[in-house]
Amino acid sequence: MRNVAIIGYGLTKFGKREGSLRDLAAEAGKSTLESIPNLDRSEIKGFFLTTTDGEPYVTASVAENLGLKPALSAKLENLCASGGMGITVAYGAVASGIVDVCMVLGVEKMSHLKIAPPMEWDFTRGGIMPPAVWGSMYAQKHMREFGTREEDLALVSVKNHRNSSMNPFAQFQKPVTIEEVMKSRPIVSPLKLYDCTAKTDGAAAVVLTNEELARKYTDSPVWITGTGQSSLGASFGNVNPQYTTWPAVANASRDAFRTSHTTPEDIDIAELHDAFTINEIIEYEDAGFVEKGKGGQFIREGQSEIGGKIPVNTNGGLIGAGHPIGATGVAQSIEVVQQLRGEAGKRQVGSAEVGFTLNLSASVSTASVIVYGRKQRSGYS
Amino acid sequence: MRNVAIIGYGLTKFGKREGSLRDLAAEAGKSTLESIPNLDRSEIKGFFLTTTDGEPYVTASVAENLGLKPALSAKLENLCASGGMGITVAYGAVASGIVDVCMVLGVEKMSHLKIAPPMEWDFTRGGIMPPAVWGSMYAQKHMREFGTREEDLALVSVKNHRNSSMNPFAQFQKPVTIEEVMKSRPIVSPLKLYDCTAKTDGAAAVVLTNEELARKYTDSPVWITGTGQSSLGASFGNVNPQYTTWPAVANASRDAFRTSHTTPEDIDIAELHDAFTINEIIEYEDAGFVEKGKGGQFIREGQSEIGGKIPVNTNGGLIGAGHPIGATGVAQSIEVVQQLRGEAGKRQVGSAEVGFTLNLSASVSTASVIVYGRKQRSGYS
């Protein structure tokens, strides 16, 4: 199989946006095309739209709006992990040679929704349990079991808002203090407003190609060196019976490290799925960056800050940058690409060689991990 | 890249079915697992659900019902070509080595709908144009330009109903006469009821694996030897300005023949996308089986009958077997696998070595072609 690189990207401002889903998609797509001046749009032979939008054939409308006439094309959905799964599918399509150049465009329009609409999935579980309820249970047990403090959760929010204040595309542009987080409106104890993601409109896109073509389009390709995924089911209780250990994250991370021939020590920058602040703390652990139970300490010691041991969510994460469901995983990849290329502006972590993204769905029942490098992978195991 | 084979399949009876979309999916999935007794469900590491159903995360519910814990997983949608595109995406995921064993499960539940629901796509075109209107225009121009007769259209329906009467999973189990077709209720001239597909509930699934593993699971793997796709846009007029020549079909067929190192003469059995009878006639031409304008003659001479030069739609096609949107392309692949394995019962065409499927979307704006062989492809170009 061929090595595959990301050669360009574009995104919209995240937040409450006017215009339709198709308008947002067109904005991110156009910006992506402009990021690769040597690429003619006729060369884009794969096109995946990642979104939870239920409208059939919206992929074809978006492609048409962008002037694309791809070969392989489809909408791809895996709830909040749609973007990560979409990039992985595109990676397979390019690595196998089905297509040479492939765009993945994630998009979501949520600001018009009063609440996140209940899904049939909820009813198959016996009732509706808003995500913050899961988050609350995970947080309570982690606090009880490992001494994690409410202030540790708040520090994640403070860090991610500080990072998003340096990201011109982020939904939240203002830093918050630990006091502001601690005093923000209670949602489900111990989670407060600033511990949670908001509703976000937005779109983000990347273009992938193979090793024969990458240098034709850019001097700074960012290689996908490994991937891992795990889809353990659709039920909260069955999938994470211990609450504070997330097997999907551990499985996907292990496979991504194995296929990329890296270890957690090699990672210079990570984008984790901070749907709630507690997520980021548990993910430090289950991705393998710290021992189980040491996540609170990691954020307290500033290890996940820009300048720390492994800067995490330098774009602001889902809490600071926003969480436009189908676009989230794509935006995570874009942040890694920007950091590895030295294009991250005020958020730049210095010289980063290896990056990591973790994109999750639905009470951590599905995980998608991608590892990226400035250097090509030497072999595939 | 690795060679990839289909190693098992299963489907539900097509037609008006009780039960939910998830019930139908479970039935086809279970039947597929039973078709590969040596395969433990834990080995299925890729899972794609192809459907137009808009419900988020239904893929995870279906996987859970089947006892699957895949790695890579997503819902995949490209309207009526969802199945063909889904199998192609799975082919890439297996060929590239991201996953070794992958299930593609197509499913649709339509019988409860009074009419096919208008799509936002229609409104972006300026209004609603039911598919039969396109079919009518294609048919009228083909008749005017090439002397194709209403009776030629009817012969397609007669053939496909005869074939479906030998397919225990087909929606329509009774043969029809040419008189019955000609006298059936007018829809949009010259198309009558029996020239059109009906609403269908149903599900169909296949499992793909690579060349290292295929023989572990079956003595009769059917290899995917090439693929081609073309997505030219979402608009009827722009995509097929000449009405009787369908560039998406020609593009996708050309690429599939090129990548499989075959020519139209090599094809022993073809499943074409007969959304309307006129489609099958134009597809004989644009796939390359006959010259432009000779499609009517091909059906008149019985060349697409079982026993003819290239048996087409031996399972009954969309008109006879049914057209459960997201499952249709998967069912086409299953028919080819059955024919190449000699498992097609009364419909068996004799010894078939090379098969061809063509799956389309939305007024032939998107096409997906797959070529299959009893022998592995020798190289990839």
Side-chain angles (χ1 to χ4, degrees), chain B residues 238-264:
Chain B
N238 284 344
V239 165
N240 299 308
Q242 304 187 329
Y243 287 32
T244 51
T245 297
W246 293 350
V249 174
N251 293 345
S253 301
R254 179 201 61 219
D255 287 350
F257 285 124
R258 178 177 54 77
T259 53
S260 63
H261 302 167
T262 59
T263 67

CSV table of all heavy atoms in Angstrom, one decimal, chain B residues 238-264:
chain,number,residue,atom,x,y,z
B,238,ASN,N,-27.6,19.1,-16.4
B,238,ASN,CA,-26.1,19.3,-16.7
B,238,ASN,C,-25.4,18.0,-16.9
B,238,ASN,O,-24.4,18.0,-17.6
B,238,ASN,CB,-25.5,20.0,-15.4
B,238,ASN,CG,-25.8,21.4,-15.3
B,238,ASN,OD1,-26.3,22.0,-16.3
B,238,ASN,ND2,-25.6,22.0,-14.1
B,239,VAL,N,-25.9,17.0,-16.2
B,239,VAL,CA,-25.1,15.7,-16.2
B,239,VAL,C,-25.3,14.9,-17.5
B,239,VAL,O,-24.4,14.3,-18.0
B,239,VAL,CB,-25.5,14.9,-14.9
B,239,VAL,CG1,-25.0,13.5,-15.1
B,239,VAL,CG2,-24.9,15.6,-13.7
B,240,ASN,N,-26.6,14.9,-18.0
B,240,ASN,CA,-26.9,14.1,-19.2
B,240,ASN,C,-27.6,15.0,-20.2
B,240,ASN,O,-28.7,14.8,-20.5
B,240,ASN,CB,-27.8,13.0,-18.8
B,240,ASN,CG,-27.1,12.0,-17.8
B,240,ASN,OD1,-26.0,11.6,-18.0
B,240,ASN,ND2,-27.8,11.8,-16.7
B,241,PRO,N,-26.9,16.0,-20.7
B,241,PRO,CA,-27.5,16.9,-21.6
B,241,PRO,C,-28.1,16.3,-22.9
B,241,PRO,O,-29.0,16.8,-23.5
B,241,PRO,CB,-26.4,18.0,-21.9
B,241,PRO,CG,-25.1,17.2,-21.7
B,241,PRO,CD,-25.4,16.3,-20.6
B,242,GLN,N,-27.5,15.2,-23.3
B,242,GLN,CA,-28.0,14.5,-24.5
B,242,GLN,C,-29.1,13.5,-24.2
B,242,GLN,O,-29.6,12.8,-25.1
B,242,GLN,CB,-26.8,13.9,-25.2
B,242,GLN,CG,-25.7,14.9,-25.5
B,242,GLN,CD,-24.7,14.3,-26.4
B,242,GLN,OE1,-24.4,13.1,-26.3
B,242,GLN,NE2,-24.1,15.1,-27.2
B,243,TYR,N,-29.4,13.3,-22.9
B,243,TYR,CA,-30.5,12.4,-22.5
B,243,TYR,C,-30.2,10.9,-22.8
B,243,TYR,O,-30.3,10.1,-21.9
B,243,TYR,CB,-31.8,12.7,-23.1
B,243,TYR,CG,-32.5,14.0,-22.6
B,243,TYR,CD1,-31.7,15.0,-22.1
B,243,TYR,CD2,-33.9,14.1,-22.5
B,243,TYR,CE1,-32.3,16.2,-21.6
B,243,TYR,CE2,-34.5,15.2,-22.0
B,243,TYR,CZ,-33.7,16.3,-21.6
B,243,TYR,OH,-34.3,17.4,-21.1
B,244,THR,N,-29.7,10.6,-23.9
B,244,THR,CA,-29.6,9.1,-24.3
B,244,THR,C,-28.2,8.6,-24.2
B,244,THR,O,-27.9,7.5,-24.6
B,244,THR,CB,-30.1,8.9,-25.7
B,244,THR,OG1,-29.5,9.8,-26.6
B,244,THR,CG2,-31.7,9.1,-25.8
B,245,THR,N,-27.3,9.5,-23.8
B,245,THR,CA,-25.9,9.1,-23.5
B,245,THR,C,-25.6,9.4,-22.1
B,245,THR,O,-25.8,10.6,-21.7
B,245,THR,CB,-24.9,9.8,-24.5
B,245,THR,OG1,-25.3,9.4,-25.8
B,245,THR,CG2,-23.5,9.4,-24.2
B,246,TRP,N,-25.1,8.5,-21.3
B,246,TRP,CA,-25.0,8.7,-19.9
B,246,TRP,C,-23.5,8.6,-19.5
B,246,TRP,O,-22.9,7.6,-19.3
B,246,TRP,CB,-25.7,7.6,-19.1
B,246,TRP,CG,-27.2,7.8,-19.2
B,246,TRP,CD1,-27.9,8.8,-19.8
B,246,TRP,CD2,-28.2,6.9,-18.8
B,246,TRP,NE1,-29.3,8.6,-19.8
B,246,TRP,CE2,-29.5,7.4,-19.1
B,246,TRP,CE3,-28.2,5.7,-18.1
B,246,TRP,CZ2,-30.7,6.8,-18.8
B,246,TRP,CZ3,-29.4,5.0,-17.8
B,246,TRP,CH2,-30.6,5.6,-18.2
B,247,PRO,N,-22.8,9.8,-19.5
B,247,PRO,CA,-21.4,9.8,-19.2
B,247,PRO,C,-20.9,9.2,-17.9
B,247,PRO,O,-19.9,8.5,-17.9
B,247,PRO,CB,-21.1,11.3,-19.2
B,247,PRO,CG,-22.2,12.0,-20.0
B,247,PRO,CD,-23.4,11.2,-19.7
B,248,ALA,N,-21.7,9.3,-16.9
B,248,ALA,CA,-21.3,8.6,-15.6
B,248,ALA,C,-21.2,7.1,-15.8
B,248,ALA,O,-20.2,6.5,-15.3
B,248,ALA,CB,-22.3,8.9,-14.5
B,249,VAL,N,-22.1,6.5,-16.5
B,249,VAL,CA,-22.0,5.1,-16.8
B,249,VAL,C,-20.8,4.7,-17.6
B,249,VAL,O,-20.1,3.8,-17.3
B,249,VAL,CB,-23.3,4.6,-17.5
B,249,VAL,CG1,-23.2,3.1,-17.9
B,249,VAL,CG2,-24.5,4.8,-16.6
B,250,ALA,N,-20.6,5.5,-18.7
B,250,ALA,CA,-19.4,5.3,-19.5
B,250,ALA,C,-18.1,5.4,-18.8
B,250,ALA,O,-17.2,4.6,-18.9
B,250,ALA,CB,-19.5,6.2,-20.7
B,251,ASN,N,-18.0,6.5,-18.0
B,251,ASN,CA,-16.8,6.7,-17.2
B,251,ASN,C,-16.5,5.6,-16.2
B,251,ASN,O,-15.4,5.0,-16.1
B,251,ASN,CB,-16.9,8.0,-16.3
B,251,ASN,CG,-17.0,9.3,-17.2
B,251,ASN,OD1,-16.6,9.3,-18.3
B,251,ASN,ND2,-17.4,10.3,-16.5
B,252,ALA,N,-17.5,5.2,-15.5
B,252,ALA,CA,-17.3,4.2,-14.4
B,252,ALA,C,-17.0,2.8,-15.1
B,252,ALA,O,-16.2,2.1,-14.6
B,252,ALA,CB,-18.6,4.1,-13.5
B,253,SER,N,-17.7,2.5,-16.1
B,253,SER,CA,-17.5,1.2,-16.8
B,253,SER,C,-16.1,1.2,-17.4
B,253,SER,O,-15.4,0.2,-17.2
B,253,SER,CB,-18.5,1.1,-17.9
B,253,SER,OG,-19.8,1.1,-17.4
B,254,ARG,N,-15.7,2.3,-18.0
B,254,ARG,CA,-14.3,2.3,-18.6
B,254,ARG,C,-13.3,2.1,-17.5
B,254,ARG,O,-12.4,1.3,-17.7
B,254,ARG,CB,-14.1,3.7,-19.3
B,254,ARG,CG,-12.8,3.9,-19.9
B,254,ARG,CD,-12.5,5.5,-20.0
B,254,ARG,NE,-12.5,6.1,-18.7
B,254,ARG,CZ,-13.0,7.3,-18.4
B,254,ARG,NH1,-13.6,8.0,-19.3
B,254,ARG,NH2,-13.0,7.8,-17.2
B,255,ASP,N,-13.4,2.8,-16.4
B,255,ASP,CA,-12.4,2.6,-15.3
B,255,ASP,C,-12.4,1.2,-14.7
B,255,ASP,O,-11.4,0.7,-14.4
B,255,ASP,CB,-12.6,3.7,-14.2
B,255,ASP,CG,-12.2,5.0,-14.7
B,255,ASP,OD1,-11.6,5.2,-15.8
B,255,ASP,OD2,-12.5,6.0,-14.0
B,256,ALA,N,-13.6,0.6,-14.6
B,256,ALA,CA,-13.7,-0.7,-14.1
B,256,ALA,C,-13.1,-1.7,-15.0
B,256,ALA,O,-12.4,-2.7,-14.6
B,256,ALA,CB,-15.2,-1.1,-13.8
B,257,PHE,N,-13.3,-1.6,-16.3
B,257,PHE,CA,-12.7,-2.5,-17.3
B,257,PHE,C,-11.2,-2.3,-17.2
B,257,PHE,O,-10.4,-3.3,-17.3
B,257,PHE,CB,-13.2,-2.3,-18.7
B,257,PHE,CG,-14.6,-2.8,-18.9
B,257,PHE,CD1,-15.6,-2.0,-19.4
B,257,PHE,CD2,-14.9,-4.1,-18.7
B,257,PHE,CE1,-16.9,-2.5,-19.6
B,257,PHE,CE2,-16.2,-4.6,-18.9
B,257,PHE,CZ,-17.2,-3.8,-19.3
B,258,ARG,N,-10.7,-1.1,-17.2
B,258,ARG,CA,-9.3,-0.8,-17.1
B,258,ARG,C,-8.6,-1.4,-15.9
B,258,ARG,O,-7.6,-2.2,-16.0
B,258,ARG,CB,-9.0,0.7,-17.2
B,258,ARG,CG,-7.5,1.1,-17.1
B,258,ARG,CD,-7.3,2.6,-17.2
B,258,ARG,NE,-8.1,3.4,-16.2
B,258,ARG,CZ,-7.8,3.5,-14.9
B,258,ARG,NH1,-6.7,2.9,-14.4
B,258,ARG,NH2,-8.5,4.2,-14.1
B,259,THR,N,-9.2,-1.2,-14.7
B,259,THR,CA,-8.6,-1.7,-13.5
B,259,THR,C,-8.7,-3.2,-13.4
B,259,THR,O,-7.8,-3.9,-12.8
B,259,THR,CB,-9.1,-1.0,-12.3
B,259,THR,OG1,-10.6,-1.1,-12.3
B,259,THR,CG2,-8.8,0.5,-12.2
B,260,SER,N,-9.7,-3.8,-14.0
B,260,SER,CA,-9.8,-5.3,-13.9
B,260,SER,C,-9.2,-6.0,-15.1
B,260,SER,O,-9.2,-7.2,-15.1
B,260,SER,CB,-11.3,-5.6,-13.9
B,260,SER,OG,-12.0,-5.2,-15.1
B,261,HIS,N,-8.6,-5.2,-16.0
B,261,HIS,CA,-7.9,-5.8,-17.2
B,261,HIS,C,-8.9,-6.7,-18.0
B,261,HIS,O,-8.6,-7.8,-18.4
B,261,HIS,CB,-6.7,-6.7,-16.8
B,261,HIS,CG,-5.7,-5.9,-16.1
B,261,HIS,ND1,-4.6,-6.4,-15.4
B,261,HIS,CD2,-5.5,-4.5,-15.9
B,261,HIS,CE1,-3.9,-5.5,-14.9
B,261,HIS,NE2,-4.4,-4.3,-15.1
B,262,THR,N,-10.1,-6.2,-18.1
B,262,THR,CA,-11.1,-7.0,-18.9
B,262,THR,C,-11.7,-6.0,-19.9
B,262,THR,O,-11.5,-4.8,-19.9
B,262,THR,CB,-12.3,-7.5,-18.0
B,262,THR,OG1,-12.9,-6.4,-17.3
B,262,THR,CG2,-11.8,-8.5,-16.9
B,263,THR,N,-12.5,-6.6,-20.8
B,263,THR,CA,-13.3,-5.8,-21.8
B,263,THR,C,-14.7,-6.3,-21.7
B,263,THR,O,-15.0,-7.3,-21.1
B,263,THR,CB,-12.8,-6.1,-23.2
B,263,THR,OG1,-13.1,-7.4,-23.6
B,263,THR,CG2,-11.3,-5.9,-23.3
B,264,PRO,N,-15.6,-5.5,-22.3
B,264,PRO,CA,-17.1,-6.0,-22.3
B,264,PRO,C,-17.2,-7.4,-22.8
B,264,PRO,O,-18.1,-8.1,-22.3
B,264,PRO,CB,-17.7,-5.0,-23.2
B,264,PRO,CG,-16.9,-3.7,-23.1
B,264,PRO,CD,-15.5,-4.2,-22.9
